[in-house]
RNA sequence: GCCGAAGUGGCGGAAUUGGCAGACGCAAGGGACUUAAAAUCCCUCGAGAGCAAUCUCGUAUCGGUUCGAGUCCGAUCUUCGGCACCA
């Protein structure tokens, strides 16, 4: 018997698969049912893969291999989310070129992904930084622009003067820049944004009927944040000005005692009285110097300033002082609110601090002398709402407002505009030209892609993209008019919004992908990735998909039919694997030492794929022993052409259980079931060839190399095992004809009787009499018998 | 504060619908083989009591429903993840 030389076996099959294009997909073959298995593509960092990444990859690979054997035409692609800030920062630091650096990283990732035996169709590999790819990213951007979903607007951003750039919220800590610790302030700047709130309801509705984790659906729902309420119009006393507020508690309008505006509200300078002017302006300035993070710190006391102006409560004409307060967000609702201190905790705290009235309009046991009451109850002090509960009062108020034309019922969403530009080099250029006459033009489709120019200096300057310095690239002429290219680039989430569509038809240069192919292959049947992308990438990708669907380019509104998460990989010290702690395990080392099959099995055996896992080098040996055992048995005299039936039952049970586990991605239990089977084979005298072949197939999706090798060398099969029909099982042969039935007395386990399957209660009591006579002699009051499960006698 | 997930041996984890808790693997202990070691194979392995057959306790804590609860219900504690003044 030859030794189990995993290295030689891996080399042999890697070149076999490559040479025979074993995993190439003929996407035009519609004769078989399709299956599209997909992992979120990696960001090709300089650090390479760590052992956390392959959890999701092996899971989708095993699903792809399983479905191929089940007769599906499987699409299983891979690519790289290659644009992004870390690469650019590396380039600035080292003087390297981001493109070269990215290419190098991609080569390393590809090597590692091939090393672990993924059955990827490598001819479909894509990279978001490839102009052939981002041509179509730009093209979709233009379609969004033409449809009015892209805006170039002034908005408030985090601005760091020292770094000369805009920062994302998570790059700002305690009002200072994460890098350098420089002060960061709010600043109004022109920004590209995508109007994702227009899709809020569609994205919410689209969640229905998806096979996704319930918690993920809830996370997306909360993120979109639908709330039903009313917009109410307020007039300002002694002024022509009006403003609107959004409220979910229109029923409490009679309890409103002041109004509060966000410090950025446009009406403020028009209504502020002379005496309050300096105070108001000082406050606005103070707020502008704060970051979102400071402003939204709920632990700080609320602050605000009186404008001197009064609003008129449309319900009872009472005068309400108008404050500006930083607890009012300019980005939510109308950037203004009617305050009802008696029934809102935030308004209550503010009213107490500034000694404003608190009017109770809902009856409660505890009253409102100590804190706000936010529950349901009978309305009081509310004119035509008196006596009604919250829901009735709300409904009545909606009707009244609409009748009086003072407001209307509405739906508001928390989802905000998606800022779609960065002042950086390493991203897709925004395909827009600013013309001399002040107009903006899209780059004509025939001139796409707008390719990133080669540069030497990638440092952003004065909040402008480094592309400003590429003067030859920037200055263009269209139809005789001069213009300048937009120098902001797209965020790194752009390329990942539609990559799953491009995989289907990656070399198409006429359109982003052929419609017939898209209709056949979408949606993705299985999508696996981390939970951290639920409110970012996944939501954005769903929006782009939905947009393309609305415009008729796609026939499926939702891209990901079934979605599962891979859990975090922790180091054995209980900390997250990270360079910082020096506890990162490199798959290269594990594969070199134990082989790719052992690595794959260990990754899957650690626990359910969505669970947090704790890497433990010691545990790997169990999987190594498992494969060694298989190798030995397949080369032993046990293996024979034989019609021996002794393993028939457990074989059928194993096929049944493993098949079900693969369907559920429950790979940890699939592996333990296969271990139990091999333990039985080890005990048995013979291992009939039919079962031996079937077992190799069961194991193949998780351990492709050893199974291909044994299939080839032990059974002399010339073709790969990859497409051999999945083994079947006989339900009748799975069933035990005799079972051990637990016997309880008063609910406590007292023993077990042997009994035939599906025995009647009489037979069960008979068996009890024969096998456990002591128990049957008890004075039986009642018998609970669940066939094949339990016999419980009450005495 | 709000939302979500989870809590089972020394460890990772099983238990498909409420029906023998701890499958499978690791670690540990004992034995066989060996001059010896490694590898391999066999046995033991939740806690307590008992010479023993056996008995009692046991799935974060407390209570409930049920013939029967790791599983269902109510309260509490802890850990992790996400959001954070959303009117």
């Amino acid at each position: 018997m030859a030794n189990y030389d995993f290295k030689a076996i891996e080399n042999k099959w890697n070149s076999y698969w490559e040479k025979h294009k074993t995993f190439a997909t003929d996407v035009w073959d519609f004769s078989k049912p399709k299956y599209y298995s997909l992992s979120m593509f990696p960001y090709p960092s300089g650090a390479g893969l760590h052992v956390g990444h392959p959890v999701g990859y092996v899971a989708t690979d095993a699903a792809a291999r399983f479905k191929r054997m089940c007769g599906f035409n499987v699409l299983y692609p891979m690519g790289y989310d290659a644009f992004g800030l870390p690469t650019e920062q590396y380039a600035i630091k080292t003087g390297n070129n981001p493109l070269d650096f990215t290419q190098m990283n991609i080569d390393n990732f590809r090597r590692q992904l091939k090393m672990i035996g993924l059955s990827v169709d490598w001819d479909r590999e894509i990279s978001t930084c490839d102009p052939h790819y981002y041509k179509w990213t730009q093209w979709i951007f233009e379609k969004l622009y033409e449809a009015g979903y892209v805006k170039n607007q002034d908005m408030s951003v985090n601005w760091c003067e020292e770094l000369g750039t805009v920062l994302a919220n998570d790059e700002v800590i305690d009002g200072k820049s994460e890098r350098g610790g420089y002060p960061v302030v709010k600043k109004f700047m022109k920004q590209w944004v995508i109007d994702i709130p227009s899709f809020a309801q569609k994205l919410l509705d689209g969640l229905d009927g998806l096979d996704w984790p319930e918690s993920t659906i809830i996370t997306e729902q909360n993120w979109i944040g639908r709330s039903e309420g009313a917009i109410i119009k307020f007039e300002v006393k002694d002024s022509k000005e009006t403003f609107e507020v959004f409220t979910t508690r229109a029923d409490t309008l009679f309890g409103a005692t002041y109004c509060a505006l966000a410090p950025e509200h446009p009406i403020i300078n028009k209504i502020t009285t002379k005496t309050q002017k300096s105070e108001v302006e000082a406050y606005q300035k103070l707020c502008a110097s704060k970051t979102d993070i400071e402003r939204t710190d709920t632990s700080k006391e609320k602050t605000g300033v009186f404008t001197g102006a009064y609003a008129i409560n449309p319900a009872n004409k009472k005068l309400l002082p108008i404050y500006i307060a930083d607890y009012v967000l300019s980005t939510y609702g109308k950037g203004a609110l009617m305050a009802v201190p008696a029934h809102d905790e935030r308004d209550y705290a503010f009213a107490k601090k500034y000694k404003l009235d608190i009017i109770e309009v809902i009856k409660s046991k505890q009253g409102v002398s100590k804190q706000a009451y936010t529950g349901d109850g009978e309305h009081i002090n509310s004119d035509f709402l008196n006596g009604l509960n919250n829901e009735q009062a709300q409904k009545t108020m909606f009707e009244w407002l609409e009748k009086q034309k003072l407001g209307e019922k509405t739906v508001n969403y928390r989802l905000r505009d998606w800022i779609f530009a960065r002042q950086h080099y390493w991203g897709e250029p925004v395909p827009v030209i600013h013309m001399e006459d002040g107009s903006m033009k899209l780059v004509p489709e025939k001139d796409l892609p707008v390719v990133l120019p080669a540069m030497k200096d990638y440092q952003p300057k004065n909040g402008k993209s480094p592309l400003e310095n590429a003067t030859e690239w920037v200055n263009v002429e269209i139809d005789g008019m001069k213009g300048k290219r937009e120098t902001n680039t797209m965020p790194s989430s752009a390329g990942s919004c539609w990559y799953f569509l491009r995989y289907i038809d990656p070399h198409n240069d006429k359109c982003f992908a052929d419609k017939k192919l898209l209709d056949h292959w979408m949606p993705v049947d299985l999508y696996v990735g981390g939970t951290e992308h639920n409110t970012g990438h996944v939501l954005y990708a769903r929006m782009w998909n939905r947009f393309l669907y609305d415009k008729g380019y796609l026939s499926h509104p939702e891209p990901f039919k079934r979605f599962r998460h891979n859990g975090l990989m922790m180091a054995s010290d209980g900390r997250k694997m990270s360079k910082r702690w020096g506890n990162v395990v490199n798959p290269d080392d594990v594969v070199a030492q134990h082989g790719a099959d052992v690595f794959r099995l260990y990754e899957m055996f650690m626990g359910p794929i969505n669970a947090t896992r704790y890497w433990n080098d010691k545990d790997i040996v169990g999987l190594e022993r498992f494969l060694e055992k298989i190798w030995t048995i397949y080369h032993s005299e046990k293996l024979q052409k034989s019609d021996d039936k002794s393993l028939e039952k457990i074989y059928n049970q194993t096929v049944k259980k493993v098949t079900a586990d693969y369907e559920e991605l429950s790979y940890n239990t699939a592996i333990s079931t296969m271990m139990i089977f091999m333990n039985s084979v080890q005990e048995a005298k013979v291992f009939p060839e039919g079962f031996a072949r079937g077992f190799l197939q069961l194991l193949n999706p998780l351990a492709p190399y050893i199974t291909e090798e044994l299939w080839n060398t032990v059974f002399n099969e010339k073709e790969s095992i990859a497409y051999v029909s999945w083994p079947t099982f006989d339900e009748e042969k799975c069933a035990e004809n005799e079972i051990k039935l637990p016997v309880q007395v008063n609910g406590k386990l007292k023993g077990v009787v042997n009994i035939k399957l599906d025995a009647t209660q009489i037979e069960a009591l008979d068996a009890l009499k024969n096998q456990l006579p002591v128990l049957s002699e008890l004075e039986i009051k009642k018998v609970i018998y669940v066939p094949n499960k339990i016999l419980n006698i009450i005495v």
Side-chain angles (χ1 to χ4, degrees), chain A residues 529-547:
Chain A
T531 53
E532 67 273 22
H533 298 111
N534 286 348
T535 54
H537 154 67
V538 173
L539 196 67
Y540 298 145
R542 289 182 59 222
M543 191 218 106
W544 279 38
N545 189 92
R546 179 67 203 213
F547 167 72

PDB file of all heavy atoms in Angstrom, chain A residues 529-547:
ATOM      1  N   GLY A 529     -21.718  34.863   3.309  1.00  0.00           N
ATOM      2  CA  GLY A 529     -20.786  35.930   3.681  1.00  0.00           C
ATOM      3  C   GLY A 529     -21.034  36.377   5.104  1.00  0.00           C
ATOM      4  O   GLY A 529     -21.971  35.911   5.755  1.00  0.00           O
ATOM      5  N   GLY A 530     -20.216  37.286   5.582  1.00  0.00           N
ATOM      6  CA  GLY A 530     -20.286  37.718   6.979  1.00  0.00           C
ATOM      7  C   GLY A 530     -21.457  38.650   7.260  1.00  0.00           C
ATOM      8  O   GLY A 530     -21.946  39.335   6.366  1.00  0.00           O
ATOM      9  N   THR A 531     -21.893  38.681   8.503  1.00  0.00           N
ATOM     10  CA  THR A 531     -23.012  39.539   8.900  1.00  0.00           C
ATOM     11  C   THR A 531     -22.664  41.024   8.810  1.00  0.00           C
ATOM     12  O   THR A 531     -23.553  41.857   8.740  1.00  0.00           O
ATOM     13  CB  THR A 531     -23.426  39.280  10.368  1.00  0.00           C
ATOM     14  OG1 THR A 531     -22.253  39.393  11.182  1.00  0.00           O
ATOM     15  CG2 THR A 531     -24.043  37.933  10.549  1.00  0.00           C
ATOM     16  N   GLU A 532     -21.359  41.339   8.828  1.00  0.00           N
ATOM     17  CA  GLU A 532     -20.965  42.747   8.835  1.00  0.00           C
ATOM     18  C   GLU A 532     -21.386  43.459   7.549  1.00  0.00           C
ATOM     19  O   GLU A 532     -21.387  44.678   7.491  1.00  0.00           O
ATOM     20  CB  GLU A 532     -19.456  42.886   9.069  1.00  0.00           C
ATOM     21  CG  GLU A 532     -18.556  42.366   7.950  1.00  0.00           C
ATOM     22  CD  GLU A 532     -18.244  40.876   8.076  1.00  0.00           C
ATOM     23  OE1 GLU A 532     -19.004  40.150   8.741  1.00  0.00           O
ATOM     24  OE2 GLU A 532     -17.238  40.453   7.471  1.00  0.00           O
ATOM     25  N   HIS A 533     -21.753  42.710   6.515  1.00  0.00           N
ATOM     26  CA  HIS A 533     -22.150  43.329   5.246  1.00  0.00           C
ATOM     27  C   HIS A 533     -23.657  43.502   5.083  1.00  0.00           C
ATOM     28  O   HIS A 533     -24.116  43.961   4.052  1.00  0.00           O
ATOM     29  CB  HIS A 533     -21.597  42.510   4.076  1.00  0.00           C
ATOM     30  CG  HIS A 533     -20.100  42.459   4.062  1.00  0.00           C
ATOM     31  ND1 HIS A 533     -19.391  41.301   4.321  1.00  0.00           N
ATOM     32  CD2 HIS A 533     -19.186  43.432   3.883  1.00  0.00           C
ATOM     33  CE1 HIS A 533     -18.099  41.579   4.268  1.00  0.00           C
ATOM     34  NE2 HIS A 533     -17.943  42.843   4.009  1.00  0.00           N
ATOM     35  N   ASN A 534     -24.420  43.120   6.122  1.00  0.00           N
ATOM     36  CA  ASN A 534     -25.879  43.121   5.991  1.00  0.00           C
ATOM     37  C   ASN A 534     -26.474  44.481   5.665  1.00  0.00           C
ATOM     38  O   ASN A 534     -27.401  44.578   4.867  1.00  0.00           O
ATOM     39  CB  ASN A 534     -26.522  42.603   7.277  1.00  0.00           C
ATOM     40  CG  ASN A 534     -26.357  41.110   7.409  1.00  0.00           C
ATOM     41  OD1 ASN A 534     -25.972  40.439   6.451  1.00  0.00           O
ATOM     42  ND2 ASN A 534     -26.622  40.580   8.569  1.00  0.00           N
ATOM     43  N   THR A 535     -25.958  45.540   6.304  1.00  0.00           N
ATOM     44  CA  THR A 535     -26.552  46.854   6.086  1.00  0.00           C
ATOM     45  C   THR A 535     -25.746  47.688   5.105  1.00  0.00           C
ATOM     46  O   THR A 535     -26.099  48.813   4.815  1.00  0.00           O
ATOM     47  CB  THR A 535     -26.675  47.621   7.419  1.00  0.00           C
ATOM     48  OG1 THR A 535     -25.397  47.653   8.043  1.00  0.00           O
ATOM     49  CG2 THR A 535     -27.675  46.953   8.325  1.00  0.00           C
ATOM     50  N   GLY A 536     -24.662  47.141   4.600  1.00  0.00           N
ATOM     51  CA  GLY A 536     -23.870  47.841   3.602  1.00  0.00           C
ATOM     52  C   GLY A 536     -24.019  47.149   2.264  1.00  0.00           C
ATOM     53  O   GLY A 536     -25.049  47.288   1.588  1.00  0.00           O
ATOM     54  N   HIS A 537     -23.011  46.379   1.940  1.00  0.00           N
ATOM     55  CA  HIS A 537     -22.963  45.717   0.634  1.00  0.00           C
ATOM     56  C   HIS A 537     -24.270  45.030   0.215  1.00  0.00           C
ATOM     57  O   HIS A 537     -24.738  45.211  -0.904  1.00  0.00           O
ATOM     58  CB  HIS A 537     -21.811  44.705   0.616  1.00  0.00           C
ATOM     59  CG  HIS A 537     -22.000  43.580  -0.325  1.00  0.00           C
ATOM     60  ND1 HIS A 537     -22.013  43.765  -1.695  1.00  0.00           N
ATOM     61  CD2 HIS A 537     -22.244  42.266  -0.124  1.00  0.00           C
ATOM     62  CE1 HIS A 537     -22.229  42.598  -2.284  1.00  0.00           C
ATOM     63  NE2 HIS A 537     -22.379  41.685  -1.357  1.00  0.00           N
ATOM     64  N   VAL A 538     -24.851  44.253   1.104  1.00  0.00           N
ATOM     65  CA  VAL A 538     -26.031  43.474   0.716  1.00  0.00           C
ATOM     66  C   VAL A 538     -27.202  44.384   0.356  1.00  0.00           C
ATOM     67  O   VAL A 538     -27.892  44.182  -0.645  1.00  0.00           O
ATOM     68  CB  VAL A 538     -26.426  42.481   1.835  1.00  0.00           C
ATOM     69  CG1 VAL A 538     -27.742  41.786   1.504  1.00  0.00           C
ATOM     70  CG2 VAL A 538     -25.327  41.441   2.026  1.00  0.00           C
ATOM     71  N   LEU A 539     -27.371  45.437   1.147  1.00  0.00           N
ATOM     72  CA  LEU A 539     -28.448  46.387   0.882  1.00  0.00           C
ATOM     73  C   LEU A 539     -28.199  47.141  -0.430  1.00  0.00           C
ATOM     74  O   LEU A 539     -29.106  47.303  -1.257  1.00  0.00           O
ATOM     75  CB  LEU A 539     -28.544  47.368   2.042  1.00  0.00           C
ATOM     76  CG  LEU A 539     -29.822  48.185   2.122  1.00  0.00           C
ATOM     77  CD1 LEU A 539     -31.001  47.285   2.439  1.00  0.00           C
ATOM     78  CD2 LEU A 539     -29.686  49.270   3.172  1.00  0.00           C
ATOM     79  N   TYR A 540     -26.963  47.577  -0.633  1.00  0.00           N
ATOM     80  CA  TYR A 540     -26.616  48.302  -1.857  1.00  0.00           C
ATOM     81  C   TYR A 540     -26.794  47.405  -3.082  1.00  0.00           C
ATOM     82  O   TYR A 540     -27.328  47.829  -4.113  1.00  0.00           O
ATOM     83  CB  TYR A 540     -25.169  48.798  -1.805  1.00  0.00           C
ATOM     84  CG  TYR A 540     -24.876  49.770  -0.681  1.00  0.00           C
ATOM     85  CD1 TYR A 540     -23.642  49.771  -0.029  1.00  0.00           C
ATOM     86  CD2 TYR A 540     -25.820  50.709  -0.277  1.00  0.00           C
ATOM     87  CE1 TYR A 540     -23.368  50.661   0.987  1.00  0.00           C
ATOM     88  CE2 TYR A 540     -25.554  51.597   0.745  1.00  0.00           C
ATOM     89  CZ  TYR A 540     -24.333  51.574   1.379  1.00  0.00           C
ATOM     90  OH  TYR A 540     -24.057  52.458   2.392  1.00  0.00           O
ATOM     91  N   ALA A 541     -26.333  46.170  -2.965  1.00  0.00           N
ATOM     92  CA  ALA A 541     -26.441  45.233  -4.091  1.00  0.00           C
ATOM     93  C   ALA A 541     -27.913  44.971  -4.413  1.00  0.00           C
ATOM     94  O   ALA A 541     -28.306  44.895  -5.577  1.00  0.00           O
ATOM     95  CB  ALA A 541     -25.721  43.926  -3.759  1.00  0.00           C
ATOM     96  N   ARG A 542     -28.719  44.857  -3.370  1.00  0.00           N
ATOM     97  CA  ARG A 542     -30.149  44.645  -3.591  1.00  0.00           C
ATOM     98  C   ARG A 542     -30.750  45.857  -4.301  1.00  0.00           C
ATOM     99  O   ARG A 542     -31.617  45.714  -5.156  1.00  0.00           O
ATOM    100  CB  ARG A 542     -30.865  44.408  -2.259  1.00  0.00           C
ATOM    101  CG  ARG A 542     -30.541  43.053  -1.630  1.00  0.00           C
ATOM    102  CD  ARG A 542     -31.315  42.852  -0.330  1.00  0.00           C
ATOM    103  NE  ARG A 542     -32.744  42.928  -0.558  1.00  0.00           N
ATOM    104  CZ  ARG A 542     -33.604  43.567   0.237  1.00  0.00           C
ATOM    105  NH1 ARG A 542     -33.184  44.176   1.319  1.00  0.00           N
ATOM    106  NH2 ARG A 542     -34.881  43.582  -0.058  1.00  0.00           N
ATOM    107  N   MET A 543     -30.271  47.064  -3.936  1.00  0.00           N
ATOM    108  CA  MET A 543     -30.815  48.257  -4.576  1.00  0.00           C
ATOM    109  C   MET A 543     -30.456  48.304  -6.054  1.00  0.00           C
ATOM    110  O   MET A 543     -31.311  48.571  -6.897  1.00  0.00           O
ATOM    111  CB  MET A 543     -30.304  49.517  -3.882  1.00  0.00           C
ATOM    112  CG  MET A 543     -31.048  50.751  -4.334  1.00  0.00           C
ATOM    113  SD  MET A 543     -29.998  52.195  -4.503  1.00  0.00           S
ATOM    114  CE  MET A 543     -29.914  52.284  -6.298  1.00  0.00           C
ATOM    115  N   TRP A 544     -29.204  48.050  -6.394  1.00  0.00           N
ATOM    116  CA  TRP A 544     -28.798  48.082  -7.813  1.00  0.00           C
ATOM    117  C   TRP A 544     -29.563  47.037  -8.601  1.00  0.00           C
ATOM    118  O   TRP A 544     -30.021  47.274  -9.710  1.00  0.00           O
ATOM    119  CB  TRP A 544     -27.275  47.861  -7.955  1.00  0.00           C
ATOM    120  CG  TRP A 544     -26.496  49.110  -7.705  1.00  0.00           C
ATOM    121  CD1 TRP A 544     -26.773  50.060  -6.768  1.00  0.00           C
ATOM    122  CD2 TRP A 544     -25.331  49.554  -8.407  1.00  0.00           C
ATOM    123  NE1 TRP A 544     -25.835  51.068  -6.838  1.00  0.00           N
ATOM    124  CE2 TRP A 544     -24.948  50.784  -7.832  1.00  0.00           C
ATOM    125  CE3 TRP A 544     -24.565  49.028  -9.452  1.00  0.00           C
ATOM    126  CZ2 TRP A 544     -23.826  51.499  -8.276  1.00  0.00           C
ATOM    127  CZ3 TRP A 544     -23.451  49.734  -9.891  1.00  0.00           C
ATOM    128  CH2 TRP A 544     -23.085  50.969  -9.311  1.00  0.00           C
ATOM    129  N   ASN A 545     -29.690  45.855  -7.981  1.00  0.00           N
ATOM    130  CA  ASN A 545     -30.426  44.787  -8.651  1.00  0.00           C
ATOM    131  C   ASN A 545     -31.876  45.204  -8.886  1.00  0.00           C
ATOM    132  O   ASN A 545     -32.444  44.990  -9.962  1.00  0.00           O
ATOM    133  CB  ASN A 545     -30.367  43.528  -7.781  1.00  0.00           C
ATOM    134  CG  ASN A 545     -30.904  42.310  -8.489  1.00  0.00           C
ATOM    135  OD1 ASN A 545     -30.164  41.584  -9.123  1.00  0.00           O
ATOM    136  ND2 ASN A 545     -32.221  42.075  -8.392  1.00  0.00           N
ATOM    137  N   ARG A 546     -32.441  45.846  -7.861  1.00  0.00           N
ATOM    138  CA  ARG A 546     -33.831  46.272  -7.962  1.00  0.00           C
ATOM    139  C   ARG A 546     -33.991  47.349  -9.038  1.00  0.00           C
ATOM    140  O   ARG A 546     -34.959  47.345  -9.814  1.00  0.00           O
ATOM    141  CB  ARG A 546     -34.302  46.808  -6.609  1.00  0.00           C
ATOM    142  CG  ARG A 546     -35.713  47.311  -6.594  1.00  0.00           C
ATOM    143  CD  ARG A 546     -36.686  46.170  -6.803  1.00  0.00           C
ATOM    144  NE  ARG A 546     -37.943  46.659  -7.312  1.00  0.00           N
ATOM    145  CZ  ARG A 546     -39.138  46.120  -7.019  1.00  0.00           C
ATOM    146  NH1 ARG A 546     -39.204  45.054  -6.240  1.00  0.00           N
ATOM    147  NH2 ARG A 546     -40.229  46.615  -7.517  1.00  0.00           N
ATOM    148  N   PHE A 547     -33.037  48.265  -9.089  1.00  0.00           N
ATOM    149  CA  PHE A 547     -33.067  49.314 -10.110  1.00  0.00           C
ATOM    150  C   PHE A 547     -33.020  48.695 -11.515  1.00  0.00           C
ATOM    151  O   PHE A 547     -33.821  49.043 -12.386  1.00  0.00           O
ATOM    152  CB  PHE A 547     -31.892  50.273  -9.900  1.00  0.00           C
ATOM    153  CG  PHE A 547     -31.657  51.190 -11.065  1.00  0.00           C
ATOM    154  CD1 PHE A 547     -32.542  52.227 -11.330  1.00  0.00           C
ATOM    155  CD2 PHE A 547     -30.571  51.005 -11.917  1.00  0.00           C
ATOM    156  CE1 PHE A 547     -32.345  53.066 -12.421  1.00  0.00           C
ATOM    157  CE2 PHE A 547     -30.368  51.839 -13.002  1.00  0.00           C
ATOM    158  CZ  PHE A 547     -31.259  52.869 -13.256  1.00  0.00           C
TER     159      PHE A 547
END
